[in-house]
Amino acid sequence: MVSVENSTTDPKFLLANRLGEIRAYSSSLASFTVQWKDLEKLFESIQSSVDDCFDDLRARQKRITEASSSLVTPLPPTALKYLCLNMDGKGLRLSLTEKIKEHGPFSIEDEVSAALSFAPDPAMLVLDTLVVFYPQKRKHRIELFDTRRTCILLLEQLMKISAKIGPSVTEKAKNLAIEWKGKLEGENDYSSGALGLLLLLAAYELGCVFPMNQMLDLFEMVALHAQALELYRRLGLTERVSDFIQILITKRKPIGAIKFIYEFGLADKFPPPLPSLRAGLLCAKRANGKSAKDEAIDKEIAAVKAVVACMRDPETIKSLVNRINQLEALKRSREMESEGNEGCVRTGPPQAQQRITIKIRGSGHI
């Protein structure tokens, strides 16, 4: 029999005891390994569920955003666009009148056309602004000029965006054109009234409202305006251009005649009327009163531009272009003065009595 003392020191006994302890540890370790793998699988499952939830939330948010953008129109970035979006004709007209006084009509043309495109019905909106073209109460000449300038700008930009015009709007525009035609015959400022009427006819595609002879009478009043040539084409009168030029020549309006002659390539058929052209340039310079002088500047600019179309001599053209630049600088200066901006600096004031010698195709001077 082996004693207790020997058993504790016996190597075999010790080895057997250690092996028993190792087996016990290995069993626990195996159990822990199994549990850890279960935990890893659990964490992976949770992570996958969280990812699925986030993907679902992103998809829902995208659908909500798309639905909202299709139902709600975002507010436009400028006041003009906001007024157009809300079809506020009166607010648009008043806001534009102030902007034109501050910046001039040409610098805001693109802004106006962009704003009009936001309107649910641009043609109806512009039509609503035109009620003051012939105001019920008599206005000061300068105030009326500012109002009409705003209306003319709106009509020009309406043509530019080629807005869709419904039958009811067309009928209202036609009635307004007939009303304006009656009022035009009783006013002193034929030029702006006729221009406004022709723009109304062109913008709302009403070229057949008035007989041909009345249309040519209207164009006779606006022949020197920059818009005259485009309006003449838009209203479908090109087949009668020779008759119209002859009317201008007969009525001693050579500058307008020359403008149409060279635009439509009829120089061989209509030689330049030199004596009348000289008188026309001198007449374009004459004016009495502040508003009349402003209009005279516009007419002289148009007249000189018409004459430039006849030129071949580079030095003469250069002289005429300088004259146009001087007149436009004077016009800007007068606009600033009319707004009460004291201390504004004039840039290159023109010499009012500058003499211009013009050689026309080697056939004479004026």
Side-chain angles (χ1 to χ4, degrees), residues 74-339:
L75 286 178
T78 68
L80 289 183
K81 290 180 180 178
Y82 183 78
L83 293 168
C84 291
L85 183 65
N86 288 278
M87 294 292 287
D88 185 354
K90 181 179 180 181
L92 176 63
R93 186 183 68 248
L94 294 175
S95 179
L96 266 182
T97 300
E98 293 305 314
K99 275 184 168 288
I100 291 174
K101 288 180 181 178
E102 183 178 355
H103 304 290
F106 303 112
S107 62
I108 62 171
E109 286 180 346
D110 291 340
E111 183 182 359
V112 175
S113 60
L116 285 177
S117 64
F118 274 75
D121 189 346
M124 188 66 235
L125 174 63
V126 172
L127 200 61
D128 286 341
T129 67
L130 301 178
V131 295
V132 295
F133 196 87
Y134 284 97
Q136 294 181 350
K137 295 182 180 179
R138 187 177 182 85
K139 286 188 176 183
H140 189 276
R141 184 180 177 88
I142 295 178
E143 186 180 0
L144 180 61
F145 173 79
D146 291 337
T147 300
R148 288 189 172 182
R149 185 166 57 170
T150 300
C151 294
I152 285 171
L153 174 62
L154 283 167
L155 285 168
E156 289 174 335
Q157 300 315 304
L158 180 63
M159 285 196 300
K160 181 178 179 181
I161 65 173
S162 301
K164 183 179 179 181
I165 304 173
S168 62
V169 177
T170 299
E171 187 63 26
K172 289 179 181 178
K174 178 181 177 181
N175 293 334
L176 185 63
I178 294 171
E179 178 185 332
W180 282 12
K181 180 66 166 59
K183 291 181 177 180
L184 176 63
E185 296 171 358
E187 75 167 6
N188 295 326
D189 185 8
Y190 289 106
S191 180
S192 67
L195 179 61
L197 177 55
L198 288 170
L199 281 166
L200 177 64
L201 294 173
Y204 291 88
E205 302 175 359
L206 301 171
C208 298
V209 173
F210 303 114
M212 179 63 69
N213 63 319
Q214 293 184 19
M215 294 293 289
L216 295 181
D217 288 342
L218 290 172
F219 272 101
E220 181 189 336
M221 301 177 196
V222 303
L224 292 183
H225 281 275
Q227 304 96 322
L229 294 169
E230 180 186 358
L231 290 174
Y232 197 88
R233 286 193 171 94
R234 271 184 172 267
L235 290 168
L237 304 179
T238 51
E239 293 182 0
R240 295 289 302 274
V241 67
S242 295
D243 296 337
F244 179 57
I245 292 171
Q246 189 57 57
I247 290 172
L248 293 175
I249 293 173
T250 302
K251 294 191 176 182
R252 303 181 68 82
K253 296 184 177 180
I255 298 173
I258 286 176
K259 182 177 179 179
F260 277 80
I261 286 170
Y262 284 93
E263 178 66 22
F264 288 91
L266 298 173
D268 295 336
K269 186 175 180 179
F270 296 96
L274 299 183
S276 298
L277 186 56
R278 183 191 300 114
L281 272 175
L282 294 175
C283 181
K285 293 183 179 182
R286 298 194 188 102
N288 294 313
K290 185 173 182 180
S291 297
K293 287 180 179 177
D294 291 337
E295 186 174 348
I297 291 173
D298 289 335
K299 285 184 177 181
E300 187 177 349
I301 290 174
V304 178
K305 285 182 178 180
V307 173
V308 168
C310 313
M311 299 300 104
R312 285 185 175 177
D313 179 47
E315 290 302 319
T316 303
I317 292 175
K318 182 178 179 180
S319 174
L320 290 171
V321 170
N322 288 337
R323 177 60 175 165
I324 291 170
N325 292 335
Q326 290 175 343
L327 289 168
E328 289 178 343
L330 176 60
K331 182 179 177 181
R332 288 192 297 269
S333 176
R334 289 179 64 82
E335 286 177 351
M336 294 175 67
E337 288 177 359
S338 67
E339 296 166 14

Side-chain angles (χ1 to χ4, degrees), residues 35-64:
Q35 291 176 359
W36 179 253
K37 288 182 178 179
D38 290 340
L39 286 174
E40 284 183 333
K41 290 180 179 179
L42 177 62
F43 281 126
E44 289 176 359
S45 176
I46 293 173
Q47 181 65 42
S48 177
S49 297
V50 171
D51 290 341
D52 290 342
C53 288
F54 272 116
D55 291 340
D56 184 55
L57 286 173
R58 290 192 189 98
R60 289 184 181 183
Q61 185 178 17
K62 183 178 180 180
R63 288 195 297 269
I64 292 171

Side-chain angles (χ1 to χ4, degrees), residues 2-51:
V2 180
S3 64
V4 174
E5 180 179 355
N6 291 336
S7 66
T8 58
T9 58
D10 183 24
K12 292 182 178 181
F13 177 79
L14 292 174
L15 180 60
N17 191 31
R18 295 298 182 194
L19 287 172
E21 292 177 354
I22 289 172
R23 289 191 184 98
Y25 282 126
S26 65
S27 177
S28 298
L29 181 62
S31 176
F32 176 77
T33 303
V34 171
Q35 291 176 359
W36 179 253
K37 288 182 178 179
D38 290 340
L39 286 174
E40 284 183 333
K41 290 180 179 179
L42 177 62
F43 281 126
E44 289 176 359
S45 176
I46 293 173
Q47 181 65 42
S48 177
S49 297
V50 171
D51 290 341

